[in-house]
Amino acid sequence: MAEYKIPAEVRSEFGKGASRRLRRESKVPGVIYGHGGEPVHVALPSYDLMMALKTSNVLISLDVEGKSRLVIPKAVQREAIRGFLVHIDLLAVKKGEKVVVDVPFHIEGELAPGGHLLEHMMDALSVEAEATNIPDSFTVSIEGLAAGDSVKAKDVPLPVGTTLAVDDDAVLLQVLATQAEAAEGEEGAEA
């Protein structure tokens, strides 16, 4: 897992006007919360933050007034049309602490012959992992699956120290029969 170091400034001005001024200076307003302490409002360099957020579940080391704080992104707000960062919520973490995060998964393999459709029930798998050892992604095999088959959360191989934060029987992917096959099956039943 990559760890990015980003300088942060504590901010004392709040509201729409103050946030707009920060964005004009190429900074993103944000807030750090967690561990039962008071939230800390910060301003982060826009480019550095954007580059760090290209990695899913990135661990960020913020330099806040000379103190280093480990955080992970919890909520990122972007401008709807151009995609600029508008605001970020950061969760403070400690080394060795377990956190619940959504980790994306990639599909490998081929479905069984027959032109079946693969339906995604989830885009990411919710897991509990150590904050400094969050997996980047999981690989899910669909090799040879036919209509009616599914891939459940318990079927995904997890690295050591990572546990599921969802029900074991939660369906990630399911294979559906194509419309043509379904129609043929109905005609055969009527005859």
Side-chain angles (χ1 to χ4, degrees), residues 167-181:
D167 186 32
D168 288 352
D169 292 326
V171 177
L172 302 178
L173 305 165
Q174 68 181 8
V175 182
L176 304 173
T178 59
Q179 292 281 337
E181 286 180 20

Side-chain angles (χ1 to χ4, degrees), residues 119-177:
E119 182 179 17
H120 291 253
M121 304 303 285
M122 294 184 190
D123 293 330
L125 184 60
S126 188
V127 297
E128 182 179 45
E130 186 180 322
T132 56
N133 198 20
I134 298 172
D136 293 328
S137 65
F138 298 116
T139 302
V140 177
S141 175
I142 59 167
E143 191 64 41
L145 295 180
D149 292 341
S150 62
V151 176
K152 297 182 178 180
K154 65 183 176 187
D155 300 332
V156 178
L158 301 175
V160 176
T162 303
T163 58
L164 289 174
V166 295
D167 186 32
D168 288 352
D169 292 326
V171 177
L172 302 178
L173 305 165
Q174 68 181 8
V175 182
L176 304 173

